[in-house]
Amino acid sequence: MKYICLGYIQPGKFENLSESERNAMLDECFTYDDELRSNGHFAAGEALQPANTAMTLYWKNGKVAVSDGPYAETKEQLGGILVLEARDLNHAIQLISQHPGVKMGPFEIRPVADLNAMIKESEQRRGKNTPR
């Protein structure tokens, strides 16, 4: 089963480390990512640029509105995502609890929703006969 792991970090926490501390943290994280990959658990992952580069889209007054920055005003900002392949939630927790990135901020773990049945039903409603 796939799990999305959202890694959060306080703005400036990584940047305020010395260069050697940043390099050590990155090396630890990438080494563990390699371990996850070699064991078939790392499905995908991406780091995100800082929160000040974000744009938020939302529905307001019958149309899409856009604002600068992240949606949530929180102490930590979303720093990256990792798509993990694990047996169950406990296995996902076990795998992420060993990730060095946890030292930089919390990780939120959520199971991936399987939308295949909803997509198929929608295709039928819309008159599409495309197999999935």
Side-chain angles (χ1 to χ4, degrees):
M1 179 165 197
K2 282 192 172 69
Y3 292 86
I4 303 295
C5 306
L6 305 170
Y8 292 86
I9 188 168
Q10 289 180 351
K13 185 170 186 172
F14 182 76
E15 295 80 7
N16 290 334
L17 295 174
S18 70
E19 184 179 357
S20 64
E21 290 171 322
R22 282 193 307 269
N23 289 339
M25 174 55 64
L26 290 171
D27 292 349
E28 283 183 64
C29 289
F30 295 149
T31 297
Y32 189 65
D33 290 348
D34 289 342
E35 185 179 321
L36 290 171
R37 250 184 227 94
S38 68
N39 291 317
H41 299 300
F42 191 103
E46 296 293 339
L48 299 175
Q49 292 195 16
N52 65 354
T53 66
M55 299 297 290
T56 299
L57 280 65
Y58 54 95
W59 193 255
K60 184 177 182 179
N61 298 326
K63 61 182 180 178
V64 173
V66 180
S67 66
D68 292 342
Y71 177 71
E73 295 294 329
T74 62
K75 192 173 184 180
E76 290 95 10
Q77 299 293 327
L78 184 61
I81 64 167
L82 189 150
V83 180
L84 194 66
E85 187 69 47
R87 289 186 305 273
D88 54 32
L89 182 57
N90 287 331
H91 187 218
I93 292 168
Q94 177 188 12
L95 292 169
I96 290 300
S97 69
Q98 298 172 56
H99 199 291
V102 173
K103 297 174 192 170
M104 298 304 294
F107 270 76
E108 179 180 337
I109 302 171
R110 293 191 199 183
V112 170
D114 182 357
L115 300 181
N116 287 327
M118 282 190 264
I119 291 168
K120 186 175 181 179
E121 290 170 5
S122 175
E123 287 172 343
Q124 289 172 347
R125 286 192 302 270
R126 294 179 288 140
K128 292 187 176 185
N129 293 324
T130 53
R132 290 231 172 238

